[in-house]
Amino acid sequence: MADIPLVDTAVHHKPIDLRDNFAFGFTKVLRFCADTFFAKRYGHRAIVLETVAAVPGMVGATINHLKCLRRMCDDNGWIRTLMEEAENERMHLMTFIEVAQPTAFERLVILGVQWLFYVAFFALYLVSPRTAHRIVGYFEEEAVISYTLYLCEIDEGRSPNVPAPAIARHYWKLPDNATLRDVVLVVRADEAHHRDVNHGFASQLAGDAPAMKAAAYPEHAGDIRLAA
């Protein structure tokens, strides 16, 4: 079995100003909506939420790319980091589609939510990239919590521990006998890494030292390794 990085599930950036409190409050509202709509159907929750989670990285990469072109300056590795984040979240989606097929209604929800979130997040990033990255940091804190609860459901027998999809075994370089539990562990480690990177970006934009050292990233097929 490939090494799976340990995840500190207790990491939380305490809001320190109005923008942080807005980001935290917005995240908690969305968490309430997700809990109400999906309850403990974690596979279906992952499908819908990962379609949204893949948006911020691509938005941030696009805006930073254009900014660096205008200013003719270096991006300090932000663009590739954010693009890799977006791809990684998309691979989460492709994996969980194999585990829990979305219903027709969920597909409609995905269409509506993704467009609304893309437009809103793009506008927010233009106005306040610091707040945008802080929101993503809080999103990922909640994702770590959700996948930890998913692990509990699997360990306690309420969710079947089915074989890992082939796409997941290839992407995370898992053995042939890997199970859904192994997949959830590496996905949770991915989310912890995104959590720490985005909180660090937000803190840098605020003029502070990075909030924390980014958690280790599980090895991926075709992995782009960058220092956080």
Side-chain angles (χ1 to χ4, degrees):
M1 179 66 186
D3 291 336
I4 298 175
L6 295 176
V7 172
D8 185 350
T9 60
V11 169
H12 170 62
H13 175 82
K14 185 176 180 180
I16 58 176
D17 59 15
L18 182 61
R19 280 180 284 190
D20 281 4
N21 278 290
F22 168 79
F24 184 64
F26 178 68
T27 301
K28 284 300 183 182
V29 168
L30 293 187
R31 174 75 196 212
F32 173 79
C33 294
D35 287 345
T36 301
F37 186 79
F38 295 107
K40 293 187 177 182
R41 295 184 302 130
Y42 289 103
H44 291 265
R45 177 198 293 252
I47 289 172
V48 175
L49 297 186
E50 294 294 356
T51 65
V52 173
V55 169
M58 191 58 68
V59 168
T62 299
I63 294 176
N64 277 285
H65 175 67
L66 295 175
K67 180 183 72 174
C68 289
L69 290 177
R70 291 194 309 274
R71 298 181 180 179
M72 303 180 192
C73 64
D74 186 57
D75 71 311
N76 296 314
W78 283 40
I79 295 171
R80 292 189 71 190
T81 299
L82 292 168
M83 289 186 69
E84 201 282 333
E85 176 185 312
E87 180 195 22
N88 180 249
E89 297 287 8
R90 181 173 58 81
M91 292 306 298
H92 294 176
L93 170 66
M94 300 306 295
T95 295
F96 284 106
I97 284 176
E98 299 292 325
V99 175
Q101 291 292 326
T103 65
F105 178 70
E106 286 168 343
R107 289 179 183 273
L108 288 175
V109 170
I110 288 168
L111 287 173
V113 170
Q114 187 184 79
W115 275 106
L116 286 172
F117 184 73
Y118 180 88
V119 172
F121 192 83
F122 196 98
L124 175 63
Y125 204 103
L126 289 174
V127 174
S128 178
R130 170 191 164 187
T131 305
H133 281 294
R134 189 68 75 199
I135 284 175
V136 178
Y138 286 132
F139 278 6
E140 303 296 6
E141 286 184 17
E142 295 297 333
V144 169
I145 293 171
S146 291
Y147 284 114
T148 299
L149 293 173
Y150 197 180
L151 284 173
C152 290
E153 292 291 304
I154 294 171
D155 290 344
E156 294 173 8
R158 290 188 293 272
S159 290
N161 189 23
V162 298
I167 189 172
R169 297 198 306 272
H170 171 74
Y171 182 68
W172 283 284
K173 300 183 178 182
L174 299 174
D176 291 340
N177 64 347
T179 65
L180 177 59
R181 188 180 192 281
D182 300 319
V183 173
V184 174
L185 283 170
V186 289
V187 169
R188 185 178 66 168
D190 285 343
E191 305 293 18
H193 178 81
H194 300 326
R195 172 197 67 195
D196 298 347
V197 166
N198 279 279
H199 277 318
F201 282 171
S203 294
Q204 287 178 337
L205 290 168
D208 303 326
M212 62 197 78
K213 181 177 174 59
Y217 215 18
E219 186 177 4
H220 304 145
D223 196 15
I224 300 173
R225 291 196 171 272
L226 297 169

